[in-house]
Amino acid sequence: MKVMKFGGISLGTSEGIDKVKDIIAEETQPVVIVVSALYGVTEMLLQAAEYALRADKKHEMVFSMIQNLHTDIIEKSVESDRSKRELDDEIMPLLEDLKNILRGVFLIGDLSQKTSDKIVSYGERLSSLIISKIIPNARLYDSTQFIKTTRQFNKHIPDIPLSNKLIKEYLNHVDGVAIVPGFIASSRDENDITNLGRGGSDYTASLIAAALDASVLEIWTDVDGFMTADPKIIDSAYVIEELSYIEAIELSNFGAKVIYPPTIFPVYHKNIPIRVRNSFNTTSKGTLILNKQSKDNGKVIKGISSINDTALITIQGLGMVGIIGVNHRIFRTLALNGISVFLVSQASSENSTSIGVSTPDAAISQKVLSEEFAHEIAMGSINEITVEYNLSTIAIVGQNMKNVPGVAGKFCGALGRSGISMMALTQGASETNISCVIKKENLRKALNVTHDSFFLSPYQELNLFIIGTGNVASKLLNQISRQKETLKEQNKLLMNVVGIANGRKALFNREGLALDDYYTNLMTNGVKSSPETIHNKIFEMNIFNSVFVDCTASEDISEMYKELMSHNVSIVTANKIAASSSFENYSKLKDTARVNGVKFLFETNVGAGLPIINTMNSLTNSGDKIIKLEAVLSGTLNYIFNTLSEEIPFSKAIKMSVEANFAEPDPRTDLSGLDVVRKLVILSREAGGKIEQSDVTKIPLIPQKYFERTIDEFWETISEMDESFEERRKKLELEGKRLRLVATYDNGKADRCNCKVALHEVERGHPFYDLEGSNNIIMITTERYNEHPMVIKGYGAGAAVTAAGVFADIISIANIR
Ligand code: ADP
Ligand code: ASP
Ligand code: MG
């Protein structure tokens, strides 16, 4: 004898029902089939009752939907016309009754528990009747005859001894297929229709399996088994092959909806295994739940589950310390009021006890506890009882964690790194469950990071917000798009662009945006962009492992970094504003990154994609000391000096640099040396200097007056400088020298006079002499690289290399776990 339970999800469509039919047809031994209501019907019934109570006509519409759903299934799934007619004859009176009851509620405006239980029972009554006509040679039984309930506080709970006896009487002689409606029952004393609570069909099946000593209880649903987490939230959740009863109870108690928690106990008692299977995929063997230490999956935990709606009641007061009996009074009071407590955390000082209850129970808990401790509260030995709402509970479960050190640490670390703080944390001495209460808004993220850190991962995930759609950003998005598959295959890294924004539009999608037509998508489907919109959306999405990639030159955007990092979002930026802002701000940003365990990377701020900052950091981290930095950091100026010749005067060379897209449309940003100053400030800081932009000595390239004129005036007058530059060029040519704008940081000099940007005449043979096109070069003199400084040289400008540098920064974040 076998008991098989098919959930509403398996009975949602005629295709689903066909599969169920095939599964049952395979059985050769007698089977009891327990069925839920058709998919969504229980919810609709409760909804219709609610509308009727509020005298809302919509209850009729919901009723029609329920009716159509059933007649539609009959039309599609029942084979012969005769059976259809017979079934219609039986179904119609049931539907008529339901309609009348709803109308009664509508007219009277009263919905008692008894009426509500009656209304909701139609789901299983209708579904079992229909299924009994679809499955050949099946016989329908009425579970209200043998599943009996009694009252405990406000709830119906099964009277197990009586139900056991009756189940045996009614079902002992099943020799083919018995169909039984799940969920519904009747009260022992009044014989009113009752039920076993939402999800209760599993429980019906378990009670029957236990009473009949079934060989196995099969729970058929729409997932391949009990999984490491709810697959509807965690994409990478996978099936657990085996679980012990204890593990299954812990997981389901903490919200793994796949099994209704009370289901486990009756079969556990009789040592009957449970198998969870997928009616849509019979090739999967599912999960076996049995009475022994389950098969080791090589991981310290078996699964993660969560309860969405948690409230935390705190009883606190110095007067509680050392007093015997406070806890007894807390739990007795809650129990007497029928409140179930699923989490308790008490500080060893005994000065506070926090209790996790479900949200609907919170207000009443607060009231009854306040009454119980009224005297102590009045005396001030216990504070007012507080309740915190909008919380969730997340639990990690597994018998293997017993005696394994560091599991709680890993759990807390994973949450901490994602900026999720814990309001209460508990671990039972049995060490099969560690649970913690967190803010509800963090639940999804918490599940993801916990799953990621305990189970996985073949893949690590990075979620990117890319700001800017200019040259660098578009190259970057192209590069990501091309490299994505390789990173996934070879580096097991999943790169998800979850947000793109420019100055006009912003578009977000937590599942990831397609990168081929992102621009059209952004401009057509994006919302109006602003730093606030971007900021709010990132916080609202609250995604784990996220990286904010700034490819703009905007100050507003750079001002967002600190708060983002405080919320554990890493920053990768090509925007120089933040790293070259005041030293105080720069240090704050670095500290924020360190404190929150995230990255603040800006390699491309100097020398585009050249590995300058990374190299300097590697040197200093390994104990070397930077003594001096000398660098040519302006690709534009270098281009200008390299282009100067007898035929090409200074003014023409400037024009050419603009045309070649090296310089900004207003080339004075480069000519002023300001850009180089910023880069030098950043480098000096990375080398350990406390430098401000104003500390850099800058010898101007051209007189100040050129910067005070309009851009048009500048273009009209700059040729005045041609002659002097040509003279200098000729002289230098004879001497075998070239002009370079050199930035220098000299650690040997006192602060404030150790940074300089000036034109140098470099001799043939000097490393800066042969510096083609717009290339950059940096010479790093350190204690170790002393006589022969380290030289890094290459393209120092250009969208493609900058994008590549940004990309490399992003990838380097993947190492944080
Ligand atoms: P049924 O109608 O078959 O009773 P339920 O909706 O009650 O189905 O339970 C199945 C659902 O449980 C799955 O669709 C899945 O979303 C959810 N679920 C939650 N946690 C888990 C888990 N750890 N493993 C598998 N499914 C889970
Ligand atoms: N139909 C009931 C519910 O939706 C019972 C069940 O499906 O197990 O809660
Ligand atoms: Mg269920």
Side-chain angles (χ1 to χ4, degrees):
M1 158 76 67
K2 198 176 188 186
V3 177
M4 304 165 85
K5 177 259 167 176
F6 291 90
I9 301 195
S10 300
L11 305 171
T13 56
S14 60
E15 292 77 20
I17 292 178
D18 284 349
K19 296 217 158 73
V20 170
K21 194 171 157 187
D22 293 344
I23 293 165
I24 299 173
E26 293 278 305
E27 291 304 328
T28 48
Q29 55 180 315
V31 280
V32 177
I33 308 293
V34 177
V35 293
S36 294
L38 302 188
Y39 183 62
V41 170
T42 306
E43 208 55 50
M44 286 190 232
L45 286 163
L46 290 169
Q47 180 67 259
E50 191 57 39
Y51 281 137
L53 175 66
R54 285 194 263 126
D56 188 334
K57 279 265 183 192
K58 283 204 203 93
H59 76 273
E60 288 174 358
M61 186 190 79
V62 180
F63 171 80
S64 302
M65 283 163 66
I66 297 172
Q67 178 164 19
N68 294 342
L69 209 141
H70 289 92
T71 46
D72 198 44
I73 290 282
I74 295 174
E75 186 52 42
K76 288 186 182 141
S77 294
V78 177
E79 275 166 14
S80 78
D81 284 345
R82 198 167 131 223
S83 307
K84 273 184 198 161
R85 272 199 309 279
E86 278 174 16
L87 190 52
D88 272 346
D89 289 346
E90 287 184 72
I91 289 280
M92 285 310 160
L94 278 179
L95 287 168
E96 200 55 36
D97 284 350
L98 172 62
K99 193 175 178 179
N100 290 334
I101 300 171
L102 287 170
R103 177 129 188 95
V105 174
F106 174 79
L107 292 174
I108 301 169
D110 181 54
L111 180 65
S112 65
Q113 185 63 47
K114 186 170 151 181
T115 314
S116 171
D117 285 350
K118 176 135 191 170
I119 293 174
V120 84
S121 74
Y122 281 87
E124 270 71 9
R125 287 161 77 187
L126 290 162
S127 69
S128 56
L129 183 53
I130 296 173
I131 302 295
S132 72
K133 291 287 188 293
I134 294 174
I135 308 295
N137 306 319
R139 185 165 157 209
L140 178 62
Y141 289 80
D142 177 3
S143 50
T144 61
Q145 306 282 323
F146 47 82
I147 305 285
K148 291 287 176 181
T149 60
T150 138
R151 259 189 122 71
Q152 193 183 56
F153 304 110
N154 280 331
K155 297 186 176 107
H156 302 291
I157 59 156
D159 177 336
I160 295 184
L162 177 61
S163 305
N164 244 325
K165 182 172 141 286
L166 293 171
I167 293 167
K168 282 192 185 119
E169 275 173 36
Y170 278 84
L171 293 174
N172 229 359
H173 305 296
V174 170
D175 55 0
V177 179
I179 306 284
V180 175
F183 179 59
I184 55 175
S186 66
S187 60
R188 180 184 66 190
D189 302 324
E190 304 85 1
N191 213 22
D192 291 332
I193 289 193
T194 57
N195 62 60
L196 303 182
R198 294 301 310 272
S201 298
D202 299 346
Y203 200 7
T204 310
S206 167
L207 291 169
I208 296 175
L212 300 182
D213 284 315
S215 58
V216 61
L217 165 62
E218 291 181 354
I219 305 282
W220 290 83
T221 180
D222 70 334
V223 281
D224 280 348
F226 219 120
M227 307 184 72
T228 49
D230 186 347
K232 296 208 172 104
I233 302 180
I234 309 286
D235 289 343
S236 49
Y238 56 87
V239 178
I240 308 167
E241 227 179 287
E242 258 185 43
L243 282 173
S244 68
Y245 288 118
I246 309 280
E247 289 168 333
I249 284 187
E250 295 277 14
L251 283 169
S252 57
N253 246 337
F254 273 87
K257 191 185 169 204
V258 62
I259 292 187
Y260 183 49
T263 308
I264 318 252
F265 187 69
V267 284
Y268 158 73
H269 209 60
K270 285 288 188 83
N271 210 357
I272 299 167
I274 307 177
R275 201 175 261 290
V276 180
R277 297 199 60 186
N278 187 349
S279 65
F280 299 93
N281 177 20
T282 47
T283 56
S284 163
K285 275 180 28 213
T287 300
L288 185 62
I289 303 170
L290 72 183
N291 195 16
K292 64 170 171 97
Q293 176 94 23
S294 58
K295 213 192 255 174
D296 190 349
N297 60 347
K299 313 272 184 213
V300 288
I301 67 167
K302 274 293 172 66
I304 303 168
S305 54
S306 60
I307 301 175
N308 240 327
D309 277 309
T310 301
L312 201 63
I313 317 269
T314 300
I315 303 112
Q316 186 177 25
L318 291 177
M320 284 166 68
V321 180
I323 307 283
I324 302 206
V326 175
N327 282 341
H328 169 72
R329 285 169 63 194
I330 296 175
F331 295 116
R332 188 195 55 193
T333 307
L334 294 174
L336 285 174
N337 288 281
I339 295 156
S340 126
V341 168
F342 60 79
L343 178 141
V344 183
S345 150
Q346 183 179 43
S348 61
S349 68
E350 299 183 23
N351 121 48
S352 85
T353 301
S354 293
I355 290 170
V357 298
S358 66
T359 303
D361 286 341
I364 172 85
S365 307
Q366 187 182 27
K367 180 170 167 285
V368 296
L369 288 170
S370 300
E371 283 163 10
E372 172 67 28
F373 292 102
H375 177 66
E376 287 83 351
I377 294 171
M379 302 294 291
S381 56
I382 289 185
N383 304 346
E384 295 285 344
I385 312 285
T386 58
V387 191
E388 280 169 277
Y389 287 96
N390 294 324
L391 307 176
S392 295
T393 307
I394 167 166
I396 55 172
V397 170
Q399 285 181 300
N400 283 351
M401 62 170 126
K402 207 176 177 90
N403 303 326
V404 177
V407 182
K410 190 169 177 177
F411 184 31
C412 300
L415 297 181
R417 270 199 309 279
S418 294
I420 300 168
S421 62
M422 290 175 278
M423 336 271 299
L425 177 72
T426 64
Q427 173 178 337
S430 69
E431 291 187 45
T432 37
N433 173 327
I434 302 177
S435 354
C436 93
V437 178
I438 55 174
K439 287 215 172 100
K440 196 175 188 170
E441 67 203 38
N442 286 327
L443 178 61
R444 199 185 182 97
K445 190 174 181 183
L447 286 167
N448 270 296
V449 289
T450 310
H451 198 265
D452 209 25
S453 103
F454 279 98
F455 289 111
L456 296 171
S457 112
Y459 297 110
Q460 181 169 8
E461 204 171 314
L462 277 187
N463 295 298
L464 312 181
F465 294 92
I466 308 235
I467 315 301
T469 49
N471 279 339
V472 173
S474 57
K475 287 272 182 326
L476 174 65
L477 284 159
N478 265 331
Q479 291 172 6
I480 295 177
S481 169
R482 265 184 282 133
Q483 193 62 10
K484 223 174 147 184
E485 274 313 300
T486 315
L487 284 172
K488 187 173 165 196
E489 301 284 301
Q490 289 176 8
N491 307 66
K492 304 290 174 214
L493 176 64
L494 289 181
M495 271 212 182
N496 234 353
V497 176
V498 290
I500 301 181
N502 58 20
R504 284 174 291 158
K505 296 278 182 176
L507 185 66
F508 303 90
N509 183 345
R510 67 181 314 131
E511 308 306 329
L513 293 161
L515 298 186
D516 36 8
D517 62 345
Y518 72 89
Y519 192 76
T520 330
N521 192 8
L522 170 70
M523 298 319 276
T524 359
N525 302 317
V527 293
K528 191 168 175 311
S529 180
S530 71
E532 291 72 48
T533 316
I534 297 172
H535 166 280
N536 294 346
K537 192 69 196 178
I538 294 176
F539 283 72
E540 181 198 312
M541 286 168 78
N542 201 5
I543 301 190
F544 76 119
N545 284 4
S546 27
V547 186
F548 182 83
V549 185
D550 181 2
C551 300
T552 72
S554 150
E555 187 159 358
D556 287 347
I557 298 292
S558 75
E559 278 169 3
M560 291 163 65
Y561 300 169
K562 188 159 167 288
E563 215 194 332
L564 286 166
M565 289 194 285
S566 307
H567 286 80
N568 297 74
V569 177
S570 286
I571 307 286
V572 169
T573 178
N575 180 348
K576 285 189 262 302
I577 295 179
S580 63
S581 63
S582 72
F583 185 77
E584 192 194 345
N585 188 44
Y586 159 88
S587 319
K588 255 195 205 135
L589 290 172
K590 287 221 135 183
D591 285 348
T592 313
R594 197 171 30 75
V595 169
N596 292 284
V598 291
K599 300 275 170 133
F600 170 41
L601 302 178
F602 42 86
E603 176 64 87
T604 50
N605 281 193
V606 182
L610 293 179
I612 299 174
I613 296 175
N614 270 327
T615 308
M616 284 169 56
N617 290 161
S618 304
L619 290 171
T620 50
N621 289 342
S622 64
D624 203 353
K625 240 199 173 101
I626 293 176
I627 297 170
K628 195 170 181 188
L629 300 169
E630 292 156 281
V632 176
L633 298 171
S634 168
T636 308
L637 289 179
N638 209 43
Y639 174 87
I640 293 172
F641 296 138
N642 281 339
T643 309
L644 287 182
S645 67
E646 217 172 329
E647 293 77 39
I648 305 178
F650 185 57
S651 56
K652 173 106 190 276
I654 300 175
K655 196 130 234 140
M656 286 167 71
S657 78
V658 175
E659 282 159 7
N661 267 338
F662 287 127
E664 298 292 317
D666 184 346
R668 290 175 298 178
T669 339
D670 293 300
L671 292 170
S672 70
L674 182 66
D675 191 52
V676 177
V677 168
R678 281 187 183 159
K679 290 174 179 168
L680 179 60
V681 165
I682 296 173
L683 288 183
S684 316
R685 289 173 175 176
E686 291 299 301
K690 284 190 182 170
I691 304 293
E692 301 287 355
Q693 287 194 28
S694 55
D695 298 334
V696 180
T697 315
K698 190 177 67 169
I699 315 280
L701 202 66
I702 49 174
Q704 185 56 26
K705 61 179 186 189
Y706 291 104
F707 297 100
E708 285 153 11
R709 296 171 179 172
T710 64
I711 178 75
D712 290 336
E713 285 165 351
F714 165 80
W715 284 123
E716 277 160 25
T717 52
I718 188 63
S719 56
E720 297 161 3
M721 295 298 298
D722 289 353
E723 210 179 310
S724 62
F725 267 94
E726 177 54 15
E727 253 171 44
R728 196 163 177 190
R729 188 196 66 78
K730 263 201 196 125
K731 180 178 147 277
L732 292 176
E733 197 171 55
L734 286 174
E735 294 171 5
K737 290 179 180 166
R738 282 179 180 165
L739 274 181
R740 299 287 178 237
L741 186 75
V742 178
T744 317
Y745 164 76
D746 191 339
N747 195 18
K749 295 203 173 131
D751 266 0
R752 301 188 188 288
C753 39
N754 54 6
C755 286
K756 196 169 173 185
V757 174
L759 261 186
H760 284 211
E761 297 174 352
V762 297
E763 294 177 3
R764 186 171 287 133
H766 188 281
F768 292 179
Y769 185 86
D770 283 316
L771 195 60
E772 294 79 18
S774 67
N775 282 3
N776 280 192
I777 187 165
I778 178 162
M779 262 192 336
I780 308 173
T781 311
T782 71
E783 278 176 0
R784 290 181 196 146
Y785 291 85
N786 203 300
E787 244 170 82
H788 302 286
M790 181 184 278
V791 175
I792 303 170
K793 178 177 170 183
Y795 291 128
V801 285
T802 307
V806 171
F807 200 178
D809 271 352
I810 297 173
I811 289 177
S812 75
I813 293 180
N815 289 328
I816 55 159
R817 284 229 102 194

